[in-house]
Amino acid sequence: MDAPNRRKSARTVQKPISYQQDQIVSIGSTGSGKRKRGDTTNVDIDADSLGEETSSDDNESDPDEEELKEQRRRAPKIKRVQSKPAAKKPKTAGPTTTSLAMRPATNGVKKPTKPRKPRAKQNATDPDETGLYADVFSQRQSTDEVAAEWLSRYDDHNANAMCELVNFVLRCTGCDLQVDVHDIDDPDNVPNKLTDLQEEFQAQKITDYPLISKARSTTFSRSVMTDFFQSLMASAHAKGLLYSDVALLENIQVWVTTMSSSGIRPFRHTATVISLAIASALCGLMRDIVDNIATTTRQKDSERKKKSVNKARVSALQTKASEIEKKKDMVESWLKDIFDTVFIHRYRDVDPKVRADCSTALGSWIATCPDMFFEGQYLRYLGWVLSDVSAPTRAEVVKQLLRLYKNKDNVGRLRAFTEKFRSRMIEMATQDAEPTIRASVVELLDMIREVGLLEPDDIDTIGKLIFDSEPRVRKAVAGFFAENISDLFESTVEELGGAEILDEALGDSTEDDYDNPRKSWLKLKCLAEVLQSYDSSGDAESPAGDGTIDNGIVPTILETRYAMAAQSICEGVPEVKEWETVAGYLLYDHSSTLQSYDGDDPQTAFKVRCQLGEKEEKLLLEVLNAAVKLRLTEAIESETDKKGKKTKARKDESREIQESVATHLAQVIPRLLGKFGSNPSTASAVLRLEHVLDLEIFQELRQDSTEFASLLDDINKQFLTHADHGVLAEARTALLHARSYEDLEEVTDGKVQELWEDTIDTLRELMKAKTPDITSMANTVERISNLASISDCVGLFEDEPRMSTKATLKAGCIRVVDILVEVIKAYGNDEDAESVSLVSSAMKSLLFYNMWIVRALKEKIQLNEHIEDVPSHENFSAAIQGVISSKHKLDDIRLSAIGTLLDLHTIYATLRHLLPPSEEKATSASAREVVAGLLRGVPQRVQDVILDSFLAAEKAYALKAKRILEPPSEDDPPDDPDSEPEDSSDDEDDDDDEERARRSQHRQHELLIAEKRLCEFTGKIVLAILGQVLDATGSRKGMLRKRLLRNKARLGSNFKEVLGYLDEAKPKRSRAKAKVAVRVAGNNKGAEKSKATVTEEEDEDEEQNEVEDVVEDEAEDLERREHLEDLGDDRIDEEMASANDAAGRDEDEDDIIGG
């Protein structure tokens, strides 16, 4: 009987219809079918038997309450079945189903419709495509309709339909070969037939296939393909064919399963995806079958509890339950078969994409069909894939685990899995190579912690990631860390008697009263305790970053690990955002609390518990810095709304916040310096607060400069009383920040002048002694170098002292510049740390002195003013050469001296670009004579020494990085056996895991230091060569450049980029030819994308690649020449000044590896 007649019969006898094409329900793991868990539409229940049950029940007994509920649930379904979908307006890309969605009121706003099923791409199907492939990927029908039509053809002739389906699968792999009906009729020959197809397909040498192709011309869609097979399973289930004709699924699986074990990736990958999609559809069917069994069992039990039991109805329900149970067993067996034949082999496939697909499918199966797959024997596969070598695969597993742990009802089933794989998840969070994966695993472990499945040691291990060098990891762990703080805070409150007693003891505190105790202090105390306990480095490392090391070149200023951790903490702990509270807590005097301690007084007990240790104060000062910066950043960002517009109200509010911060900060900084100024680490943290102080707002609020001058006095005091590099650098930066405001520049210059006078007088006093104090001299010269980096020191260095001081000094050491040169000569050969620091600071000071001279010369040359005699730098250069000749090749002070010498010659070489040709512009003769006298190259003897140090640094880095250098040439100097660095990689065979990890971290640290030393030292040489002060004259001209470029491609990308400025310009081609070459290259590239094959004319392709390289290299060379032309003028001067300015603060070794 045809479909219309069945529908008519249904209307007459009022029976539900057993099957019709429009009744197909899509079930799948992808969620595109939108079938709800609580839906009572049971498509697997036989409609005729349901009708008989209804008639029998009406004749024999009245329906009970349970039956009435069931009938009411069924009634809408029957009504929807009788309605014709054809009468409904078609929706774009929407499947035809029997479920009519209710149309809610939209208040005149039409919501955009979203298709249930993804369709093929908008471009039309290839006209050459026919059959099932064209039907599936066209826009004419949904996948539900195509699946129903195929089942109809299968009813007519199953072999032809199955042949069509197998050819569809082959076409989805990118193979144009086909099978015929005879191949379908012989299932035992499937492996042989597929082997023949694979050999033919492999002979075509096709490297791309639809599943991974990115070509826009294809109509293939992975989602449409998988949805088709899910619709096919759902349609066969609804029609009953899935259970009545077992050969249907068996024939599909015999082809697809065999293809999933193919050695050809297109076959294997595509077949695996199809098998996984079929399994996902079966999981959806299993879920619905289980729901139907529960419903039927509930009805049967309800009927049995009646006083008058309807035995016929109970028997019918029992029969129906047995039939559904048989279907459940069949689906379960098919799922096990797919898992055993496909998943177990493909979850460890060589292709990471296949492994990732298997992980995604297993996670979906567990969520859809937990009764079967939410077991340890299946969960373990997810745990094993956590160790996959592919980052995307590991990321996919973590994503599936997040999905499972998010549901708190799954905790019981996941307990054994968590115990088994918790250590691996901890390892991924702390050591995985991908920061994104580490951040996701931290989120996963946070969920595990919430349900109590994480051990205390593991909690501490994850909490320590707040110090991690990767921002994404720190951001992810912020919430985890904040929960740890909250747990400790709550337990501490209970120890003090509870929240009510504590609130009563502290009383009500006003909002602006930050100096009196409040409950948030206790949370800040807990924060400081946890940070201190998580700091694995202990007291060996200064949290403020003042424990620095000078590697001999120009140290890099990096943000400390505590400062980076504080930024993340501010986002997770709300109390930290109130920076005024943090400042009030730090300024509170706890000394009187201990003297009057009474154990019975809750308020006193609270104050004693909140007392901070020395290191805890350092940590909270870093937190205070981060909180102030965050507050100002939020204020600035609040000026703009979500649409990017600024309003006057928002600007006024932001301005008010900034004014409040500036006012309060100006009052707090002097108090903090008064309390913490004696300790270098805390003093530097307090001085850092001045950097964010908006002095413009401060000046507008304060009409006089008395308070600002007092603040500068406090800064000067810290500058003069501390010898720590970090304190001096922070004080110098604070003074430079103050000088950046014109209205306050006069006050600041007066304070800086006072510093100059005090420092120079101290230096001269130290030089009076017969045996000067080396430590005091080193500290004083360090202060001079910091002042010289921000203030013109030429006049101060050249001024002679007063007569009283002059009589006590030795001849020739009258001026500061002469004193510093003599210091370099006198202590340049010493090896002790104080002498090395003294010489290094003296060289920096004199280099800044020469930079200020060059700056003044540039201004006079540009204004065409008369130039008097310029001080010679010969004595300084000779003193540096003396230090170079007395030290080892890789000695830090020698590398620093070479860098200083090259910088000295390079900054004077920048004057060459300021003198135009005489015929173009008249220039004073004095300027030309002065510049000519200052432009001097590095002597050849010193160039040989520089080359020796470069070769040693190059070899040291290559050994640590395990890189092979080019063999030496005849012109290279002989190797010095004593200069070979030792490799201790073979000394750790007998060490335990912890010792090996420590050694590995130490080697990584040394490797980064060696690379930094090599790149910075090479950069100095490159600048000198470009400035024509090195390797520019003589018979050996160009030899140094050639030697530098020898290992350009062997020592990493950083080294390659440094040497990129030495590349000579390649021969230019005409612009027309270049355009033709680019156009041809674009055409070839497009052809390769569309065909995804490598075809003939390989020689022409190679020539084309060379043309592209020439065009690209010409552009790079042009950019470099423009960049170097700028460097030749003001930028070299500015970069050298900025680089040496950074030398005021040395680099902490732990900062290089992220702490």
Side-chain angles (χ1 to χ4, degrees):
M1 185 178 294
D2 55 358
N5 291 334
R6 286 201 302 272
R7 287 196 294 271
K8 182 177 180 181
S9 176
R11 295 191 191 97
T12 303
V13 300
Q14 296 297 321
K15 288 185 178 180
I17 298 169
S18 60
Y19 167 74
Q20 70 179 47
Q21 178 177 336
D22 297 335
Q23 193 180 349
I24 299 169
V25 180
S26 176
I27 303 174
S29 63
T30 60
S32 58
K34 302 257 178 144
R35 179 158 185 154
K36 296 184 179 179
R37 204 171 184 77
D39 191 0
T40 58
T41 305
N42 302 321
V43 295
D44 59 325
I45 301 178
D46 185 71
D48 294 333
S49 62
L50 183 61
E52 294 174 1
E53 294 165 8
T54 305
S55 301
S56 175
D57 189 48
D58 291 339
N59 294 332
E60 297 183 14
S61 65
D62 294 332
D64 58 1
E65 184 178 356
E66 184 69 26
E67 294 178 43
L68 292 175
K69 291 181 180 179
E70 185 66 23
Q71 290 177 6
R72 283 195 294 268
R73 285 195 294 267
R74 289 175 183 164
K77 173 187 174 184
I78 297 174
K79 185 176 181 179
R80 287 195 297 269
V81 169
Q82 292 176 353
S83 62
K84 292 184 179 181
K88 187 178 179 180
K89 292 184 179 181
K91 296 182 179 180
T92 57
T96 303
T97 64
T98 58
S99 299
L100 297 179
M102 298 296 294
R103 296 186 180 180
T106 58
N107 295 327
V109 180
K110 184 178 180 181
K111 294 184 179 180
T113 58
K114 184 177 180 181
R116 282 187 174 184
K117 294 271 188 187
R119 285 186 178 270
K121 298 180 181 179
Q122 293 297 325
N123 45 339
T125 309
D126 190 340
D128 296 335
E129 299 290 353
T130 57
L132 186 59
Y133 187 89
D135 294 339
V136 171
F137 296 109
S138 68
Q139 297 182 359
R140 294 187 298 270
Q141 294 174 301
S142 67
T143 54
D144 289 336
E145 295 170 336
V146 176
E149 291 179 358
W150 184 87
L151 286 175
S152 299
R153 294 195 295 271
Y154 183 84
D155 287 338
D156 297 338
H157 197 291
N158 54 13
N160 289 340
M162 188 59 63
C163 179
E164 185 182 15
L165 184 64
V166 173
N167 288 329
F168 168 76
V169 175
L170 290 172
R171 186 68 188 88
C172 289
T173 65
C175 176
D176 295 329
L177 305 174
Q178 296 184 350
V179 299
D180 53 26
V181 178
H182 301 289
D183 299 320
I184 301 299
D185 292 335
D186 188 9
D188 295 334
N189 193 45
V190 170
N192 296 331
K193 179 60 179 178
L194 285 177
T195 301
D196 296 339
L197 293 174
Q198 291 171 20
E199 292 177 354
E200 294 184 45
F201 181 73
Q202 200 168 11
Q204 299 176 6
K205 297 181 179 181
I206 298 177
T207 58
D208 199 10
Y209 56 98
L211 205 58
I212 65 171
S213 177
K214 296 181 180 179
R216 297 181 179 179
S217 59
T218 181
T219 59
F220 177 86
S221 172
R222 172 178 176 146
S223 60
V224 173
M225 181 190 72
T226 56
D227 285 339
F228 166 73
F229 281 97
Q230 291 174 355
S231 298
L232 184 61
M233 294 298 103
S235 300
H237 164 77
K239 188 175 181 180
L241 192 63
L242 189 63
Y243 312 103
S244 61
D245 188 357
V246 182
L248 169 64
L249 186 57
E250 289 180 350
N251 285 330
I252 295 175
Q253 282 299 107
V254 72
W255 285 93
V256 176
T257 302
T258 306
M259 290 177 64
S260 68
S261 300
S262 171
I264 301 178
R265 185 168 299 181
F267 279 30
R268 186 175 71 253
H269 190 186
T270 306
T272 301
V273 171
I274 292 174
S275 293
L276 298 177
I278 292 175
S280 298
L282 293 177
C283 284
L285 298 180
M286 173 71 79
R287 177 191 59 196
D288 292 337
I289 290 173
V290 170
D291 292 342
N292 290 336
I293 292 176
T295 301
T296 305
T297 303
R298 188 170 60 251
Q299 292 176 353
K300 182 181 66 176
D301 294 340
S302 177
E303 182 66 29
R304 285 178 175 175
K305 292 178 181 179
K306 292 182 179 180
K307 293 182 179 180
S308 58
V309 179
N310 188 337
K311 296 181 179 180
R313 176 170 174 76
V314 172
S315 177
L317 290 172
Q318 182 64 40
T319 302
K320 183 172 62 173
S322 300
E323 293 176 356
I324 300 175
E325 191 70 34
K326 291 180 182 179
K327 295 179 180 181
K328 176 179 176 294
D329 294 339
M330 294 176 67
V331 174
E332 186 173 351
S333 65
W334 290 329
L335 284 172
K336 289 182 178 179
D337 181 67
I338 294 175
F339 189 87
D340 294 337
T341 58
V342 178
F343 181 88
I344 286 182
H345 300 287
R346 299 280 68 81
Y347 91 95
R348 51 186 179 182
D349 193 273
V350 67
D351 188 354
K353 294 185 179 66
V354 177
R355 301 198 299 270
D357 289 337
C358 289
S359 301
T360 305
L362 181 57
S364 175
W365 300 343
I366 294 173
T368 306
C369 190
D371 293 339
M372 177 178 178
F373 287 101
F374 212 145
E375 301 292 341
Q377 59 177 326
Y378 299 107
L379 286 171
R380 60 182 180 175
Y381 291 97
L382 292 178
W384 290 338
V385 182
L386 286 173
S387 302
D388 196 282
V389 296
S390 172
T393 305
R394 295 197 305 275
E396 185 59 38
V397 176
V398 174
K399 179 181 178 181
Q400 298 303 322
L401 291 177
L402 283 168
R403 179 183 180 185
L404 296 178
Y405 278 98
K406 190 174 183 180
N407 187 354
K408 297 298 187 295
D409 297 335
N410 297 335
V411 174
R413 293 183 175 183
L414 289 169
R415 188 177 298 276
F417 173 84
T418 305
E419 291 293 332
K420 185 175 183 179
F421 295 101
R422 183 178 61 238
S423 59
R424 173 55 188 160
M425 289 187 279
I426 296 294
E427 183 182 8
M428 292 179 66
T430 55
Q431 301 180 17
D432 197 278
E434 292 295 327
T436 305
I437 295 179
R438 294 179 61 199
S440 299
V441 176
V442 168
E443 182 182 355
L444 174 63
L445 290 171
D446 193 17
M447 295 181 180
I448 297 175
R449 183 198 59 79
E450 289 178 358
V451 296
L453 297 181
L454 211 57
E455 296 294 331
D457 292 342
D458 298 332
I459 293 176
D460 292 339
T461 301
I462 301 303
K464 291 178 181 178
L465 294 179
I466 198 69
F467 294 117
D468 196 84
S469 60
E470 181 58 45
R472 282 171 288 186
V473 176
R474 294 198 305 272
K475 183 177 181 180
V477 83
F480 188 100
F481 182 85
E483 291 298 328
N484 294 348
I485 302 299
S486 299
D487 294 341
L488 179 59
F489 171 72
E490 292 174 0
S491 62
T492 306
V493 170
E494 293 299 326
E495 292 176 0
L496 294 175
E500 294 182 0
I501 295 178
L502 206 56
D503 292 338
E504 183 179 354
L506 296 176
D508 296 333
S509 58
T510 60
E511 184 178 353
D512 298 334
D513 186 10
Y514 302 109
D515 294 334
N516 290 326
R518 54 178 61 194
K519 190 189 293 185
S520 57
W521 286 12
L522 188 58
K523 198 161 193 177
L524 295 175
K525 169 64 176 179
C526 295
L527 170 63
E529 289 179 349
V530 173
L531 283 176
Q532 184 176 3
S533 64
Y534 284 174
D535 180 22
S536 58
S537 61
D539 294 332
E541 179 189 355
S542 173
D546 54 338
T548 56
I549 181 171
D550 190 349
N551 62 7
I553 313 295
V554 178
T556 304
I557 302 175
L558 298 177
E559 203 166 14
T560 65
R561 58 200 298 262
Y562 288 98
M564 293 187 295
Q567 295 174 5
S568 301
I569 292 170
C570 289
E571 300 176 1
V573 183
E575 289 79 2
V576 174
K577 292 185 177 181
E578 299 178 1
W579 70 271
E580 298 94 341
T581 303
V582 181
Y585 180 36
L586 286 167
L587 289 171
Y588 188 79
D589 185 11
H590 295 273
S591 59
S592 60
T593 304
L594 295 176
Q595 298 176 0
S596 60
Y597 175 66
D598 184 4
D600 297 333
D601 184 11
Q603 184 177 9
T604 306
F606 173 82
K607 293 179 180 179
V608 171
R609 184 65 180 84
C610 291
Q611 190 168 10
L612 293 170
E614 181 178 351
K615 189 170 184 180
E616 292 173 348
E617 291 174 342
K618 300 175 185 178
L619 294 170
L620 285 184
L621 282 171
E622 294 291 344
V623 173
L624 176 61
N625 273 277
V628 173
K629 292 179 182 178
L630 179 63
R631 182 58 173 160
L632 291 174
T633 302
E634 291 178 348
I636 296 174
E637 291 177 351
S638 65
E639 296 180 0
T640 306
D641 57 12
K642 295 181 179 180
K643 298 181 179 180
K645 297 181 180 180
K646 293 184 178 181
T647 61
K648 186 178 184 302
R650 286 179 172 271
K651 290 181 179 179
D652 293 341
E653 183 180 359
S654 174
R655 182 72 174 182
E656 183 179 353
I657 295 175
Q658 295 179 53
E659 290 177 355
S660 175
V661 172
T663 303
H664 196 182
L665 201 59
Q667 299 172 357
V668 166
I669 292 177
R671 296 175 61 192
L672 290 173
L673 286 175
K675 183 175 181 179
F676 301 106
S678 59
N679 191 322
S681 58
T682 55
S684 59
V686 176
L687 288 173
R688 207 174 303 128
L689 289 172
E690 195 274 342
H691 304 171
V692 298
L693 179 61
D694 193 338
L695 296 177
E696 183 178 356
I697 295 178
F698 177 77
Q699 184 192 7
E700 292 177 0
L701 298 176
R702 302 294 179 180
Q703 299 299 327
D704 57 355
S705 58
T706 305
E707 188 171 349
F708 178 69
S710 177
L711 177 60
L712 292 180
D713 288 336
D714 293 332
I715 296 175
N716 286 5
K717 181 181 178 181
Q718 298 298 319
F719 188 86
L720 293 174
T721 56
H722 284 287
D724 182 78
H725 297 301
V727 177
L728 294 178
E730 298 297 348
R732 177 199 64 201
T733 307
L735 293 172
L736 189 62
H737 174 245
R739 292 190 64 193
S740 61
Y741 296 89
E742 296 182 1
D743 296 336
L744 302 175
E745 186 176 3
E746 182 179 354
V747 179
T748 307
D749 288 341
K751 299 300 179 181
V752 172
Q753 185 65 29
E754 293 177 5
L755 288 176
W756 270 120
E757 294 175 359
D758 293 340
T759 306
I760 292 176
D761 288 344
T762 302
L763 176 63
R764 285 171 173 157
E765 288 294 329
L766 291 171
M767 291 299 296
K768 291 179 183 180
K770 295 181 180 180
T771 56
D773 185 357
I774 303 300
T775 303
S776 298
M777 287 185 60
N779 295 337
T780 302
V781 177
E782 173 70 16
R783 296 188 185 97
I784 290 176
S785 67
N786 278 276
L787 288 174
S789 65
I790 63 173
S791 175
D792 190 348
C793 59
V794 176
L796 295 168
F797 275 28
E798 294 178 355
D799 288 344
E800 296 183 358
R802 295 181 297 273
M803 293 300 297
S804 59
T805 307
K806 180 178 178 181
T808 61
L809 295 177
K810 295 183 293 183
C813 291
I814 299 175
R815 302 176 303 168
V816 173
V817 63
D818 298 328
I819 295 176
L820 295 177
V821 171
E822 288 299 323
V823 164
I824 296 174
K825 293 179 179 179
Y827 299 98
N829 298 331
D830 295 347
E831 300 292 340
D832 58 288
E834 289 80 4
S835 298
V836 170
S837 176
L838 173 60
V839 172
S840 177
S841 299
M843 289 191 298
K844 293 175 185 176
S845 301
L846 290 174
L847 183 60
F848 284 124
Y849 162 73
N850 283 274
M851 287 181 176
W852 288 110
I853 292 176
V854 172
R855 180 182 178 182
L857 285 174
K858 287 183 177 181
E859 293 177 355
K860 291 184 177 181
I861 292 174
Q862 291 173 351
L863 297 175
N864 199 18
E865 295 180 355
H866 176 71
I867 300 178
E868 300 178 355
D869 294 338
V870 178
S872 174
H873 58 271
E874 287 297 322
N875 291 337
F876 179 34
S877 178
I880 296 176
Q881 295 178 31
V883 175
I884 295 173
S885 61
S886 63
K887 299 297 180 180
H888 187 267
K889 293 181 180 180
L890 287 179
D891 198 318
D892 285 342
I893 191 62
R894 171 169 171 162
L895 296 178
S896 179
I898 292 175
T900 303
L901 181 64
L902 294 176
D903 289 344
L904 178 64
H905 287 273
T906 303
I907 60 176
Y908 280 103
T910 59
L911 296 174
R912 180 185 296 113
H913 303 279
L914 295 179
L915 295 177
S918 57
E919 62 272 10
E920 294 182 6
K921 181 178 179 181
T923 307
S924 63
S926 61
R928 293 187 177 275
E929 293 176 0
V930 169
V931 172
L934 295 174
L935 296 178
R936 297 171 184 171
V938 179
Q940 186 61 49
R941 175 182 59 82
V942 181
Q943 294 189 34
D944 295 337
V945 175
I946 294 173
L947 179 60
D948 289 342
S949 292
F950 169 77
L951 295 178
E954 183 185 57
K955 190 174 298 182
Y957 171 66
L959 181 63
K960 293 182 182 298
K962 302 186 185 307
R963 296 178 182 268
I964 301 176
L965 299 175
E966 290 283 352
S969 63
E970 298 179 355
D971 298 333
D972 290 345
D975 291 336
D976 183 6
D978 298 334
S979 65
E980 293 288 343
E982 298 180 359
D983 187 6
S984 58
S985 59
D986 299 331
D987 299 338
E988 57 180 52
D989 295 338
D990 299 332
D991 296 334
D992 55 10
D993 293 341
E994 184 177 354
E995 182 65 20
R996 279 197 294 270
R998 188 188 66 80
R999 286 180 176 270
S1000 175
Q1001 186 177 10
H1002 181 68
R1003 282 200 306 270
Q1004 181 68 15
H1005 180 200
E1006 289 184 338
L1007 175 63
L1008 293 173
I1009 289 291
E1011 183 181 19
K1012 183 174 182 292
R1013 177 190 293 118
L1014 174 63
C1015 291
E1016 289 185 339
F1017 186 59
T1018 306
K1020 300 284 187 182
I1021 299 175
V1022 169
L1023 280 177
I1025 292 175
L1026 297 176
Q1028 301 179 18
V1029 297
L1030 196 66
D1031 197 37
T1033 58
S1035 59
R1036 299 173 61 181
K1037 176 182 178 181
M1039 298 297 294
L1040 179 58
R1041 177 196 295 261
K1042 182 179 179 181
R1043 179 59 189 85
L1044 292 178
L1045 295 173
R1046 178 184 298 176
N1047 295 297
K1048 176 182 177 181
R1050 291 177 175 265
L1051 295 178
S1053 58
N1054 292 330
F1055 184 71
K1056 183 178 180 180
E1057 288 297 322
V1058 172
L1059 292 178
Y1061 292 99
L1062 290 180
D1063 290 342
E1064 296 180 356
K1066 292 182 173 59
K1068 290 186 178 181
R1069 297 171 61 89
S1070 65
R1071 183 172 300 179
K1073 291 183 179 180
K1075 289 183 179 179
V1076 172
V1078 173
R1079 189 181 303 114
V1080 173
N1083 294 336
N1084 289 345
K1085 188 173 182 181
E1088 289 177 0
K1089 279 190 174 182
S1090 62
K1091 296 181 179 180
T1093 55
V1094 180
T1095 56
E1096 55 186 357
E1097 298 181 356
E1098 295 181 355
D1099 294 337
E1100 295 181 7
D1101 290 340
E1102 293 178 1
E1103 293 178 4
Q1104 184 58 47
N1105 290 335
E1106 293 177 0
V1107 172
E1108 293 178 20
D1109 291 341
V1110 169
V1111 176
E1112 184 176 336
D1113 289 339
E1114 286 179 2
E1116 291 180 357
D1117 291 337
L1118 180 59
E1119 291 178 0
R1120 286 190 181 122
R1121 285 196 299 272
E1122 292 175 351
H1123 180 66
L1124 295 179
E1125 185 176 350
D1126 294 335
L1127 286 179
D1129 192 0
D1130 291 333
R1131 290 187 58 183
I1132 284 185
D1133 188 8
E1134 294 173 1
E1135 290 186 7
M1136 297 300 298
S1138 175
N1140 287 277
D1141 182 29
R1145 185 197 300 171
D1146 298 312
E1147 173 188 55
D1148 190 348
E1149 291 185 5
D1150 289 327
D1151 285 342
I1152 297 177
I1153 59 174

